[in-house]
Amino acid sequence: MSAYSADLELARLCAEGDEPAWERFVREYRPLLYRAADALDRTQGAREIADSLYADLYGIGKSGGERQSLFRYYQGRSSLATWLRAVLAQRYVDRVRAQKKAEPLPDEEAAPVRRDEHDPDHPRYVALVRAALGRVVARMTARDRLRLASYYVQGLTLAETGRVLHESEATASRQLARSRRTLRRDVETALREDAGLSDDQIAACLSSVADDPGQLDLKQVIYE
Amino acid sequence: MSDVPVRLLRETLRDDAATAASPACLDADTLAAWSDAALSAADRATAESHAANCARCQAMLAAMALTAPPAPARRWWRAGTYKWMVPLTAAAAAVVLWSVIPRTPAAPQTGAPRAPLVVTAAPAPPEPRADDAATVRPKPDSTNPTVRQKADTREATVRLKPDTTETERAPREVAAPPRLPGATPVGIDAFALSAVPAAPPPPPAPPQPSVTAQAAADALASRASPAAAAGVAANANESIQLRRERAAALAQALAKTSAAAPEIVSPDRNVRWRIRTAGIVERSVDAGKSWQPQLTGVAAPLVSGAAPSATICWVVGARGTVLRSTDGATWQRVQFPEQTDLTAVLASDATHVSVTATDGRTFTTADGGTTWR
C-alpha cells in the first residue's frame, strides 16, 4: 500500500469530479501552491501558472466531453503536495526557458572571461583551460556534476544545493570544496601532461584565466 | 589558495548540459519522488545521471529546492526561533523546582546560613487550596515567596534570597498552580504565573502571606502536642507531593505561554497578524518586528485565524464569530448560522473558508460566508 494512499484517494476523487473532494483539495492545497509559486517568483508572476494548474487538475477544456484531469498522472510515488510542486516547477521552468529563447543573453553571459590586451597568451590559455575543464568535468561522477551545476549554474545556496541531493548543507559545502580541489588538481595535471606546460606556465595560465574580481568571486571569498 | 576559474567552470558545466527537453527528462512524478526521497537507488542513479547533463532538469530540481518547505530539523537552532526552547526551559525549571523541594521535615542545620530558593511572581495571590490553608498560613511572613514573570515572559525567574536569620529561614516554596484548564490564548501579562485558582477565584482577602507548609508544621509543632505535631508533619509531607504537582503545572503553564498570541503568517512572511484580547487584532508588515493594532468591532474572544494572502485574513472566535479582512486593514463580520464557539479556520482566499467548531463540526463556505454548509 502506498504511503500516500490518502493523497491518492483524494486525487482519484478529484479526477472523478467529486465536488467535496475538490473543495477539500482547493482548501488545503491552494495556499501551498501559491507559496511555491511565490518562492519561484517573488513578484507573484508564477501565480498565474498555479492558477492555470487548476483548470488542468479539474479537467475542464478537454475535447470529447470526458474530463481528463491532470490528477490521473499522480501515481502516489510522492506526496500530493510535492507532486503539485513538481508540476508547477516543470511548467515554470519551461515557461522561463521559452521566454529566454526570445531574449538576448544578458551581458554577463556574453562577456568574455577576461580581456587582457597585454597578455598575448590569454586566448590560448583560455582555450587550454576550457578544454581541460571539459575533460575533467566529464570524468566526474554525475552526483558531483549535479552538485556543481546546482551551485554554480543554478545559483542555489549551499542549503538548497544540499536539498537537491538530500544531503546537509555542511556536506554540500564539503563536497563542493572537494570537487574544486579535484578540479584544480586535475586541470593542472591535464595542462602539464596533455598541453605540455611547465609549472611556471601552468601558474601563468591559471593566473591569466582567473576570474575578474566581482560577484563571481564572492562565493569563494565567503565559503573558502 | 588559487581555485578553479569559476566563470570558466560555469560555462563548461552549462555547455556540457543538454539544453533541449528530451523524453528522458524527469517527469513530474519522478521529480516529486526525487524530492521526497522516494526513488529507488537504481532510479535515483538513473535520474542523477540524466540531470547531471540536462539543463532543463537541473532547473526543475533547483525550482523544487526553492519551493521546498523549510526543514523543521534545521530551524530550531536558528536565531529568532528560540520559542521552541521554551518547553525545554519549562521542563528544566520543573526539574530545578522538584529538586529543591525538601523531602523530609526540616532538620536543624549547621554551618553558614543558606538562602532558600524563591520563585518570584507578581502579584502573589493567596494560596487557593483550602486544604493547604490550615497549614500554610499560620502567621504573616515577610519572606513570602512570590512568583514573578520576567519582562520577556519566556522563563520564570529563580533567584536566591538571603534569609534574615537562620531560625526564620523558610523551606523552599514552589509556585502555586497557574491557571491551566480552559485557558485561552491571552496576553502574557494576563497569564502571569501567579497563584490564580482554577475556579472560582478567591474573594479578596486581607494580605495574608503564605509560608511554606514545612514552616507551618514547624510552627504548630512547637506549640502543640507531639501527636498533633506528627499529624501536621504528615500533612506537610502531603504538601510536598502537592508542590511537585504544582511544579509540573508550572512547567505546563510556561510551555503554554509560548503558544499565547499565536501569529497568523501570510504567504508573504513579512505580513502577519496576531490575536489580542478584547477583539483587537494586530498586524505586522515587517515579520513581527512591529505591530499595529486593528479594531475588529467585536467583543467575543477571538481564537484562531488564517491568512491566505498578504491582504486577506480570516479570524474566528467564540459565539460564531467569523471576521474577514480583505484589505489587510479593516475587518468585517461575516454572518454565521450558529452561535457555536469556533476554534479553527482554514482559508484559501477571500471566499473559500472552512471553520471548525468546538464540537468538531466543520462549516464551509465558498462564497465568502453568504452560504455555509
Side-chain angles (χ1 to χ4, degrees):
Chain A
M1 180 178 230
S2 169
Y4 305 105
S5 53
D7 287 356
L8 264 177
E9 177 65 8
L10 178 62
R12 185 187 66 79
L13 290 171
C14 288
E16 291 175 354
D18 185 89
E19 286 300 324
W22 177 257
E23 286 180 8
R24 184 186 147 207
F25 167 76
V26 170
R27 191 172 63 243
E28 294 181 5
Y29 289 92
R30 193 172 194 175
L32 180 149
L33 264 178
Y34 276 170
R35 275 196 295 273
D38 291 345
L40 291 173
D41 185 345
R42 296 196 182 281
T43 64
Q44 300 193 347
R47 282 206 173 196
E48 64 180 82
I49 300 177
D51 286 334
S52 72
L53 267 183
Y54 286 101
D56 292 337
L57 290 166
Y58 193 73
I60 58 176
K62 300 293 180 184
S63 59
E66 187 179 348
R67 287 170 59 127
Q68 293 292 316
S69 168
L70 195 61
F71 277 119
R72 64 200 169 101
Y73 292 106
Y74 174 61
Q75 299 170 18
R77 295 170 73 195
S78 65
S79 70
L80 183 56
T82 306
W83 181 79
L84 287 169
R85 283 197 297 115
V87 175
L88 180 72
Q90 202 175 36
R91 295 190 175 199
Y92 176 76
V93 166
D94 286 344
R95 187 184 75 169
V96 170
R97 284 161 55 84
Q99 288 173 344
K100 279 194 172 178
K101 280 182 183 174
E103 295 172 357
L105 289 172
D107 290 342
E108 186 204 338
E109 306 295 327
V113 173
R114 186 177 187 178
R115 292 199 176 279
D116 191 342
E117 302 295 339
H118 304 291
D119 182 3
D121 289 327
H122 179 70
R124 185 171 72 95
Y125 284 153
V126 169
L128 284 173
V129 172
R130 195 189 294 271
L133 267 176
R135 287 193 297 273
V136 172
V137 167
R139 286 202 302 267
M140 300 183 86
T141 66
R143 191 171 177 82
D144 284 344
R145 282 204 308 277
L146 182 56
R147 189 184 295 107
L148 285 169
S150 297
Y151 186 71
Y152 287 113
V153 179
Q154 300 300 326
L156 298 182
T157 64
L158 285 172
E160 290 159 352
T161 300
R163 203 174 295 156
V164 168
L165 292 156
H166 298 291
E167 59 193 20
S168 70
E169 183 176 357
T171 300
S173 177
R174 281 196 305 272
Q175 295 296 331
L176 280 170
R178 179 187 57 76
S179 293
R180 284 198 297 266
R181 285 195 301 271
T182 302
L183 280 171
R184 170 76 183 200
R185 185 195 63 212
D186 290 355
V187 164
E188 286 183 359
T189 302
L191 291 174
R192 184 178 298 111
E193 296 179 353
D194 299 343
L197 298 186
S198 66
D199 288 347
D200 289 345
Q201 287 173 319
I202 290 172
C205 173
L206 291 176
S207 173
S208 176
V209 301
D211 301 310
D212 290 333
Q215 61 178 11
L216 281 178
D217 282 339
L218 285 179
K219 283 180 181 172
Q220 286 177 259
V221 173
I222 293 169
Y223 295 116
E224 287 299 301
Chain B
M1 60 144 207
S2 180
D3 208 339
V4 292
V6 172
R7 189 191 295 269
L8 277 180
L9 174 60
R10 290 178 67 194
E11 290 176 0
T12 301
L13 291 165
R14 191 180 291 130
D15 292 346
D16 286 352
T19 53
S22 76
C25 279
L26 308 181
D27 59 17
D29 207 49
T30 306
L31 198 59
W34 174 316
S35 189
D36 275 357
L39 289 177
S40 67
D43 288 347
R44 182 172 156 177
T46 303
E48 278 185 359
S49 178
H50 170 79
N53 299 306
C54 177
R56 177 173 178 257
C57 290
Q58 288 171 10
M60 290 193 298
L61 286 168
M64 290 299 286
L66 288 171
T67 59
R74 290 182 58 245
R75 294 177 63 191
W76 67 270
W77 53 265
R78 284 185 173 176
T81 56
Y82 288 108
K83 289 177 183 175
W84 200 85
M85 296 293 289
V86 173
L88 285 183
T89 307
V95 170
V96 169
L97 292 172
W98 183 84
S99 64
V100 299
I101 293 172
R103 301 178 184 218
T104 58
Q109 298 184 24
T110 58
R114 201 178 66 187
L117 183 64
V118 176
V119 182
T120 60
E127 193 72 27
R129 291 285 297 258
D131 54 349
D132 283 356
T135 57
V136 165
R137 302 188 190 106
K139 61 181 181 181
D141 187 342
S142 61
T143 61
N144 178 30
T146 57
V147 179
R148 182 183 62 192
Q149 186 144 17
K150 289 183 71 174
D152 65 4
T153 71
R154 296 296 172 86
E155 59 183 28
T157 301
V158 179
R159 64 184 173 87
L160 294 175
K161 184 177 180 181
D163 268 346
T164 50
T165 66
E166 174 71 11
T167 54
E168 289 177 357
R169 184 179 66 244
R172 299 156 185 84
E173 171 74 356
V174 181
R179 177 173 52 196
L180 288 179
T184 55
V186 294
I188 293 296
D189 292 340
F191 204 80
L193 295 174
S194 55
V196 179
Q208 192 174 19
S210 64
V211 296
T212 65
Q214 193 57 58
D218 292 345
L220 288 175
S222 66
R223 60 191 180 200
S225 65
V232 171
N235 215 1
N237 285 333
E238 287 177 8
S239 69
I240 291 172
Q241 179 60 31
L242 182 64
R243 285 181 226 159
R244 288 175 184 157
E245 292 172 2
R246 289 173 183 168
L250 173 62
Q252 194 176 350
L254 283 168
K256 279 200 170 191
T257 59
S258 66
E263 292 183 7
I264 306 159
V265 183
S266 76
D268 177 353
R269 299 189 65 79
N270 286 325
V271 179
R272 53 189 67 190
W273 285 263
R274 67 180 178 188
I275 297 168
R276 310 302 286 181
T277 56
I280 294 175
V281 173
E282 291 180 328
R283 183 173 187 249
S284 171
V285 294
D286 53 7
K289 294 184 180 69
S290 62
W291 295 91
Q292 294 77 42
Q294 298 176 340
L295 293 176
T296 62
V298 301
L302 303 175
V303 175
S304 181
S309 80
T311 55
I312 299 171
C313 185
W314 290 81
V315 170
V316 298
R319 300 187 292 280
T321 302
V322 179
L323 303 171
R324 177 183 61 180
S325 174
T326 55
D327 58 4
T330 58
W331 292 86
Q332 306 89 38
R333 181 158 191 170
V334 176
Q335 67 171 13
F336 192 76
E338 293 188 24
Q339 289 291 303
T340 185
D341 292 342
L342 303 176
T343 59
V345 56
L346 274 174
S348 55
D349 54 26
T351 55
H352 294 80
V353 177
S354 174
V355 301
T356 305
T358 51
D359 56 7
R361 288 181 298 157
T362 299
F363 300 81
T364 302
T365 178
D367 51 15
T370 305
T371 58
W372 292 88
R373 288 194 300 172

